Amino acid sequence: MTKSELSVSDDDERGGAEQVFAFFREQLLSGKLKAGDRLLNERELALKLGIGRPLLREAMRSLAMLGLLDIRHGKGAYVGKADISVLADFFTFCLAQEQNILDDILQARIAIECQAIRLACERATENDLSRIGERLTALIETLDDPEAGGEADFQFHQAIVAASHSPGLITLYRAISDLLLCSHVERRRTTHKTKAIIDDLVEAHRQVFLTIVERDREAADRRLREHFAIGDELRRKSLIAAYSKGGAG
């Protein structure tokens, strides 16, 4: 096979795979397919899409790896449910290659959490409130430990997003959860020895929790945004102080 022939073959394969993905995406979005539905058999599906069966088989294997298809040998293929951990790994792999990603990911976090907390004020159940309260207690108990404290901080905010009962927000948050956890731990390593920041950390989280209990959407949104802004400012001051001392020494 010549180089030009190989190039055409590769292009055909990519085009065929994209056609298969586009077909399933359209079918799912339109509601024509849903989890548990059985697909047409391989021959019928290949004819419907106008592609070869080997290419269809390869594309379906890729979809199965993402959990979108459940291929049962001898029984056919069924619509599955995407594994969010695979999506999270994909997001982490892509975004981790970007420079200063932990600072940038904070912007996505603000967008998701501020809407989530407004919904949580309306939708949070008693179990949700209890869970957020438990996460707040864990956060207070781990102030001197950057690793455990960072994870407790992350879980507190994750519990708020869960209390929104919004599948879309929860899925997006989980998709970037690995990066968010790293961000929490890194920020805690920078600030855990600064009393002013730790005092603010506890009070800010307590106030955020109370606004959810009171089901005050506007106050909750405002408190959370203030928490992000103040925390970022105190972290910058902590870095300036640390490097100023280092330079003086």
Side-chain angles (χ1 to χ4, degrees):
M1 180 179 289
T2 67
K3 185 174 182 179
S4 61
E5 289 174 329
L6 180 60
S7 177
V8 170
S9 177
D10 289 344
D11 287 343
D12 287 344
E13 288 186 8
R14 282 193 294 271
E18 289 171 1
Q19 186 177 344
V20 174
F21 297 156
F23 168 76
F24 283 111
R25 182 170 61 245
E26 186 277 328
Q27 293 287 299
L28 289 168
L29 289 173
S30 67
K32 295 176 183 176
L33 283 177
K34 58 184 182 298
D37 286 351
R38 188 177 187 279
L39 303 182
L40 296 172
N41 64 46
E42 188 179 280
R43 183 180 64 81
E44 292 173 322
L45 193 53
L47 286 172
K48 183 179 182 68
L49 294 174
I51 62 174
R53 292 173 68 177
L55 178 55
L56 172 64
R57 199 174 300 127
E58 192 64 32
M60 290 178 67
R61 273 198 289 263
S62 297
L63 290 169
M65 289 178 64
L66 294 173
L68 293 170
L69 291 182
D70 177 15
I71 300 175
R72 307 173 191 175
H73 296 294
K75 295 184 178 180
Y78 296 78
V79 179
K81 190 172 182 180
D83 184 349
I84 191 63
S85 65
V86 175
L87 182 60
D89 288 343
F90 176 78
F91 266 76
T92 301
F93 181 79
C94 292
L95 293 175
Q97 300 176 60
E98 301 293 329
Q99 292 185 344
N100 302 317
I101 190 58
L102 293 186
D103 286 334
D104 185 66
I105 207 69
L106 178 61
Q107 302 308 312
R109 176 188 167 197
I110 291 172
I112 295 171
E113 286 192 35
C114 286
Q115 179 59 19
I117 200 169
R118 295 177 73 90
L119 293 174
C121 287
E122 298 176 357
R123 303 175 179 177
T125 64
E126 289 303 315
N127 284 339
D128 291 325
L129 295 177
S130 177
R131 190 173 302 110
I132 298 171
E134 290 171 0
R135 299 295 186 263
L136 176 60
T137 299
L139 183 152
I140 294 171
E141 292 175 346
T142 55
L143 293 174
D144 296 327
D145 186 335
E147 297 288 339
E151 182 171 355
D153 200 336
F154 164 71
Q155 290 181 350
F156 173 85
H157 289 271
Q158 185 180 50
I160 292 175
V161 176
S164 73
H165 294 278
S166 167
L169 293 177
I170 293 169
T171 298
L172 288 171
Y173 203 77
R174 289 179 64 190
I176 57 175
S177 60
D178 288 345
L179 292 169
L180 290 176
L181 179 57
C182 287
S183 175
H184 277 286
V185 172
E186 285 301 314
R187 292 166 79 87
R188 189 63 71 87
R189 283 175 181 156
T190 303
T191 61
H192 81 283
K193 292 183 179 180
T194 306
K195 187 177 186 302
I197 296 179
I198 293 303
D199 289 344
D200 175 77
L201 182 78
V202 173
E203 185 58 24
H205 284 81
R206 182 183 288 113
Q207 290 300 322
V208 166
F209 174 53
L210 289 176
T211 58
I212 301 173
V213 175
E214 293 165 357
R215 301 194 181 279
D216 189 333
R217 285 165 49 108
E218 300 304 323
D221 186 297
R222 185 171 62 254
R223 288 286 187 184
L224 189 58
R225 290 181 188 277
E226 289 172 354
H227 167 51
F228 285 132
I230 293 172
D232 198 45
E233 180 63 23
L234 289 173
R235 184 177 69 92
R236 282 197 294 268
K237 289 181 178 179
S238 178
L239 283 170
I240 291 171
Y243 281 98
S244 295
K245 290 177 183 179

